[in-house]
Amino acid sequence: MMAVAQAQHIITQSTNDAHWIEPHPYGIYVKPADAWIDPMRAVETALVTHGHADHARSGHQRVYATPETLAIMDLRYATHDAGCPVAYGEVFNLGPVSISYYPAGHVLGSAQIRLEYNGETVVVTGDYKRRSDPTCAPFEVVPCDIFITEATFALPVFYHPPTQDELQKVLDTLKANAENCVLIGAYALGKAQRVISELRAMGYDKPIFLHGALTKMCTLYEQFGVDLGELIAVSDAQKADMQGHIVMCPPSALNDRWSRRLPDPITAMASGWMRVRQRARQRNVELPIILSDHADWTELTDTICEVNPREVWVTHGREEALVHWCGLHQISAKALRLVGREAEDDD
């Protein structure tokens, strides 16, 4: 065991850092391009992977992102004047750095960013998942020399069960409780739209009722061609209208006074963290739905194997566990320890 620990120490400490791309506490700086990836502070030039607030913000002078991400940022932060749209696979240059975006499978418009400079390639995943999702383009494996990966669920205990199995629990609960409604807490960007789309794919065609905080983002998804079926604002419905139906709200509203207008709601929450029973109890969730927009442990490690990088840099989550796994598999790795991540319930 001591020999393994020593070997891991040697591997992780001998990482040959790419001097042209520098991790800072508030983002990743691409020196020859004079640009930042997902910076937490306002900068002149930002390369943004997706629209969640722990990756995107207002105040940048220029933002390079997919058209979908720019639309999301404009809706949330009024950033339209700064937007520079980048299509998946399109190549552009900032100084001597060649840059291209590839699907990350996290939420609508989410992207991995590939950078090439002096014959060396780096891929920054942002947040990503490997499960299918009808609301966004699927993750693409992009080979590189240095792979900068998220690690939100980077512990072996995290395994995401099949999506349909989890959502079938909602349909079964509705069938058994016709006088109630099932109130699902789901994050406004990505998770809510995915839950709706997955339910539609399973044949659920009844109206779904929405908390007002979800309506604008659902409308934006529909503008980009994501069919969500019939959606009705809770404010436009009577209590009796919602009996035997699904109602959706942001997680913060699950036990809020707002929910009193609903017909005896059975509370549910869609999140990868519902694997942890204590989290469900803390939220007073009766029906945990384990549904994540991030890769689980096996998907993270399988992805590293598929990408086959020379080095792995780990950020945004359970960094040490994934660095340890890399060490055991003779892969150079280090934790970046960026601050300000996981600021939203985008799991």
Side-chain angles (χ1 to χ4, degrees):
M1 192 64 140
M2 180 64 70
V4 170
Q6 290 174 343
Q8 183 208 358
H9 176 77
I10 293 170
I11 290 168
T12 56
Q13 293 302 316
S14 64
T15 300
N16 181 22
D17 293 353
H19 61 87
W20 58 276
I21 185 163
E22 301 176 348
H24 288 255
Y26 294 94
I28 296 172
Y29 182 55
V30 187
K31 187 186 295 186
D34 192 19
W36 292 79
I37 298 174
D38 290 351
M40 289 291 94
R41 292 177 173 173
V43 298
E44 184 173 331
T45 303
L47 309 173
V48 176
T49 61
H50 67 283
H52 282 137
D54 55 341
H55 294 260
R57 55 154 295 159
S58 62
H60 306 313
Q61 291 186 35
R62 285 184 301 279
V63 177
Y64 290 87
T66 64
E68 296 90 341
T69 294
L70 291 176
I72 289 166
M73 291 179 67
D74 191 24
L75 177 64
R76 306 181 99 196
Y77 318 119
T79 56
H80 58 280
D81 291 335
C84 302
V86 182
Y88 290 134
E90 175 186 349
V91 180
F92 67 100
N93 289 82
L94 291 178
V97 181
S98 176
I99 304 169
S100 49
Y101 284 35
Y102 296 87
H106 178 55
V107 297
L108 181 69
S110 60
Q112 307 170 78
I113 300 177
R114 180 186 184 275
L115 308 113
E116 184 173 358
Y117 174 71
N118 276 355
E120 186 170 53
T121 58
V122 175
V123 168
V124 182
T125 67
D127 293 334
Y128 72 95
K129 69 172 177 289
R130 301 301 303 269
R131 304 294 174 95
S132 63
D133 180 345
T135 70
C136 63
F139 180 92
E140 290 185 15
V141 173
V142 183
C144 59
D145 299 305
I146 298 175
F147 188 56
I148 304 180
T149 178
E150 67 131 310
T152 302
F153 289 105
L155 289 173
V157 69
F158 288 114
Y159 163 72
H160 303 328
T163 300
Q164 289 194 353
D165 291 355
E166 292 300 294
L167 292 178
Q168 188 61 47
K169 296 190 296 189
V170 175
L171 301 181
D172 292 344
T173 300
L174 273 180
K175 187 175 180 180
N177 299 272
E179 301 302 311
N180 306 74
C181 70
V182 173
L183 175 61
I184 303 176
Y187 187 63
L189 169 53
K191 186 61 63 60
Q193 296 78 23
R194 183 184 176 198
V195 168
I196 294 169
S197 292
E198 296 282 8
L199 287 167
R200 298 307 191 198
M202 294 171 66
Y204 185 80
D205 58 3
K206 294 182 179 179
I208 292 176
F209 294 84
L210 300 181
H211 184 285
L214 304 184
T215 56
K216 287 185 178 180
M217 193 60 69
C218 286
T219 298
L220 185 147
Y221 265 63
E222 290 178 318
Q223 289 170 351
F224 279 95
V226 179
D227 184 7
L228 300 177
E230 185 178 3
L231 306 176
I232 300 175
V234 168
S235 58
D236 293 336
Q238 300 298 316
K239 179 180 278 192
D241 297 336
M242 293 178 279
Q243 286 183 324
H245 286 75
I246 293 169
V247 182
M248 298 190 66
C249 68
S252 60
L254 268 180
N255 300 294
D256 189 63
R257 186 182 301 177
W258 169 88
S259 64
R260 296 177 187 174
R261 70 182 69 187
L262 307 178
D264 297 322
I266 298 168
T267 56
M269 184 169 172
S271 166
W273 296 114
M274 290 297 99
R275 168 69 68 185
V276 182
R277 292 181 181 179
Q278 185 178 0
R279 295 250 186 163
R281 288 196 295 267
Q282 288 172 345
R283 297 267 193 173
N284 295 317
V285 170
E286 302 168 77
L287 184 62
I289 303 167
I290 305 170
L291 183 65
S292 177
D293 285 331
H294 297 264
D296 66 16
W297 173 256
T298 300
E299 292 163 344
L300 287 167
T301 56
D302 284 352
T303 299
I304 291 172
C305 293
E306 291 178 63
V307 172
N308 192 29
R310 184 185 74 234
E311 304 173 19
V312 175
W313 297 1
V314 186
T315 185
H316 196 172
R318 280 74 207 151
E319 299 174 0
E320 296 301 336
L322 198 54
V323 168
H324 178 70
W325 179 90
C326 288
L328 293 177
H329 291 79
Q330 305 298 303
I331 302 169
S332 295
K334 70 174 184 178
L336 298 190
R337 297 184 176 87
L338 303 184
V339 301
R341 304 304 177 183
E342 299 183 54
E344 294 190 303
D345 210 351
D346 59 339
D347 44 58

